[in-house]
Amino acid sequence: MTASESTQSETRMVRKRWLPVLKRWVSQIGLYVVVLILAVAFGLPFLWTILTSLKVPQEIYAFPPRMLPSSPQWNNYVEIFKRAPLGTFILNSAVVTLLSMIGQILSASLVAYGFARFRFPGRDALFVVVLSTMLMPAQITIIPRFLLFKFLGWLDTYKPLIVPRYFGGGAFMIFLFRQFFLTIPREFDEAAKVDGANSLWIFARILVPLSRPVFITSAIFTFLSNWNDFFGPLIFLNTLEKFTLALGLAYFRRIPEIGVEATEHLMMAAAMTMTIPCLVVFLVLQRYFVRGMVMSGLKG
Amino acid sequence: MASVAHQPAKRRPRMRLNMAQREAIQGYLYITPWILGFLIFTLGPMLASFYLSLTVYTMVKPPRFTGLAHYTRMIQDRLFWKSLGNTFYYALIFVPISIVGSLCCALLLNQKIVGRAFFRAAYFLPSITPVVAASILWLFILQPEVGALNQILSWIGISPGPGWLASSKWSKPALIIVSLWRSVGGGTMLIFLAGLQGVPRELHESAELDGAGAWAKFWRVTLPLLSPTVFFNLVLGLIGALQVFALAFVIQAGGNTSMGWPAHSTLFYLLKLYDHAFNLWEMGYGSALAWVFFFIVLALTYAQLRMARSWVYYEAEVGAVR
């Protein structure tokens, strides 16, 4: 090789050495940028809501727009309780949610126990039926259910919302419990049976204590779905004082405000009030959220 | 048994249940709540709803049989077709983006990043926000003049921004954005994340030995292994998205009670059904709408199941992959 050629190949070798390092740096930085942008995209609406809920009405529409409130109006959160029966709504939601949760968890776990631990003719076919109800849209049954509850005189009460939860608790819950019960070795059951235990005892004293994760997960799911339920209360409740939080919030969003004042700051505060219990549940039970989602999804 | 001969006149049939029969009875007993619930709250209403769809029933007088009148009315109802179109527009755009988005987020979070758990939690938070609360807060963000979204758009040069909920062209995209915010980064992402972490290393390594780059590894190893999950989410996601209701209901312009404002652009199928059944009390027509929807969902799900065979890879079926 000539002298110039050898320096050329040397330069090429040097370039080849730090190029991959540079590439890795760029992709790393790129990764972080994307991840951060996404975090902002997901988190900014929350931030905006909190900030707006602490502003005075004039600040919301100020131009040029301000980011932070000049002084946080924490009393906005007190104000919303005065403007609308928010306290009543929260109480109603709490009652309905709690009673529904108990019903769903109790009945789904028992039904799942039947599917998981007992052999009977038609068992697998029936379970397929259970699963297929997950694919069914709610519209198909809502009108007759409305008429049924009207006939029973249950309209404008919480019974249409709560009572059906005690009849199996929903296909998804049954599925969740059954999958988990199937992972518990039958030897535990057998051992107890040898000692003369009946099936209910085995359920309560052996399966349940071993199933803490799935019970917590199902508590999370049932809490969220009942706390957020909008369609049910919309159809079945008429009196304002009986509204749950989901319904009450929507109601106050739709009626035209008396007077000319802007109410966005109050609406944001109200929206946050409804969201905070969900956030708390998540932050405390994060582990079970993740595990629950995975449990339900991977089987598919 | 010898004692039978000495039994008094009243006969007591002696039932000797063997263990299998006892187990079966107990099994049935435990699932009784579900069976009752299914009959009373699902199957019964389904049949009743079918019957109602053939009648005119406004709750004032008893149902009056009209045969297929509702179904022919439906075909001529302009808003029926509009609501169907709106619903499919929303679902067919939202669901694929949501799944792809969740997958991308899962891929990102699968990398080694500082503070990964924090990001995972941050991405997940919108999915636990109640629909009603989310609708209200996005209502404010989507305001054309003072809303945060258009302000941000104006920073990157798009000014004035779209009318979003005030525009019949942008109202559905606005709702899609809200739904994406709530769903991408949520449970689906977690499921994908778990799926990604469950890919056996040996498969990646042997692919590398065959000279596969990062893209090929993803496309030919990771994705096929994830395809059952994708399929599962696709089917359920579509069914759920077609039932969009609360978002549109809450967001409808305050004070304006016409459904699906503006210009019926957000009139979704379930919204229309609700309007007929619970505003106009046309229970018969509403039931007919419900059944048509049910058949559509059934047909869609069946179609997806048939198509699944060509692209969903089940590990058990070795050699079934094309």
Side-chain angles (χ1 to χ4, degrees), chain B:
Chain B
M1 299 184 51
S3 56
V4 168
H6 303 295
Q7 287 283 331
K10 118 179 124 132
R11 285 201 314 127
R12 279 176 102 230
R14 219 77 185 279
M15 292 219 292
R16 296 207 13 241
L17 297 171
N18 59 26
M19 267 199 23
Q21 287 172 316
R22 254 185 303 200
E23 184 179 333
I25 290 184
Q26 286 193 38
Y28 283 124
L29 227 58
Y30 277 109
I31 69 170
T32 298
W34 175 79
I35 294 186
L36 281 178
F38 179 70
L39 293 174
I40 302 176
F41 298 116
T42 305
L43 194 60
M46 270 178 76
L47 298 172
S49 157
F50 182 70
Y51 165 70
L52 277 178
S53 75
L54 304 173
T55 69
V56 169
Y57 182 49
T58 52
M59 302 215 302
V60 185
K61 293 181 285 197
R64 177 169 58 91
F65 190 79
T66 55
L68 297 172
H70 290 310
Y71 294 94
T72 45
R73 172 181 165 192
M74 225 183 280
I75 299 180
Q76 292 157 3
D77 187 351
R78 185 181 63 90
L79 288 181
F80 165 75
W81 295 106
K82 183 112 176 88
S83 71
L84 212 55
N86 286 340
T87 310
F88 271 95
Y89 179 110
Y90 170 84
L92 291 177
I93 296 185
F94 165 65
V95 176
I97 299 182
S98 163
I99 292 183
V100 170
S102 298
L103 187 55
C104 290
C105 286
L107 285 169
L108 285 172
L109 289 184
N110 202 28
Q111 312 297 319
K112 297 187 184 57
I113 305 176
V114 176
R116 196 162 75 163
F118 165 75
F119 285 115
R120 196 183 59 188
Y123 291 8
F124 194 77
L125 281 180
S127 68
I128 53 170
T129 317
V131 186
V132 178
S135 308
I136 289 176
L137 76 94
W138 273 91
L139 200 56
F140 185 55
I141 295 178
L142 288 168
Q143 278 189 5
E145 275 114 56
V146 286
L149 187 57
N150 275 359
Q151 281 177 23
I152 295 180
L153 285 178
S154 69
W155 295 346
I156 59 176
I158 304 177
S159 171
W164 298 121
L165 298 170
S167 142
S168 60
K169 194 169 99 158
W170 292 99
S171 53
K172 282 193 286 288
L175 295 184
I176 292 177
I177 291 177
V178 180
S179 294
L180 283 174
W181 177 77
R182 279 191 77 241
S183 93
V184 172
T188 315
M189 182 193 77
L190 291 180
I191 295 174
F192 280 136
L193 204 50
L196 286 174
Q197 287 164 355
V199 175
R201 292 203 121 248
E202 308 86 62
L203 291 177
H204 275 307
E205 284 164 5
S206 64
E208 272 166 36
L209 285 176
D210 287 342
W215 175 251
K217 267 195 294 186
F218 173 72
W219 195 251
R220 295 200 179 268
V221 179
T222 315
L223 205 52
L225 285 174
L226 285 178
S227 58
T229 316
V230 172
F231 175 69
F232 180 68
N233 280 298
L234 199 60
V235 173
L236 285 186
L238 207 56
I239 295 177
L242 290 171
Q243 296 176 50
V244 57
F245 179 82
L247 185 59
F249 191 93
V250 175
I251 262 183
Q252 279 176 122
N256 189 323
T257 53
S258 127
M259 285 267 167
W261 187 90
H264 303 291
S265 59
T266 58
L267 182 67
F268 294 116
Y269 198 86
L270 188 41
L271 222 58
K272 179 166 165 65
L273 197 154
Y274 172 83
D275 193 32
H276 283 286
F278 298 104
N279 278 345
L280 305 172
W281 302 111
E282 294 176 322
M283 297 279 168
Y285 191 50
S287 301
L289 287 172
W291 268 92
V292 168
F293 186 79
F294 182 61
F295 278 123
I296 292 177
V297 169
L298 220 57
L300 261 177
T301 309
Y302 180 70
Q304 287 183 73
L305 282 167
R306 292 304 307 271
M307 290 200 298
R309 280 181 221 159
S310 66
W311 64 274
V312 181
Y313 171 71
Y314 288 104
E315 261 177 286
E317 309 167 6
V318 176
V321 180
R322 182 177 47 85

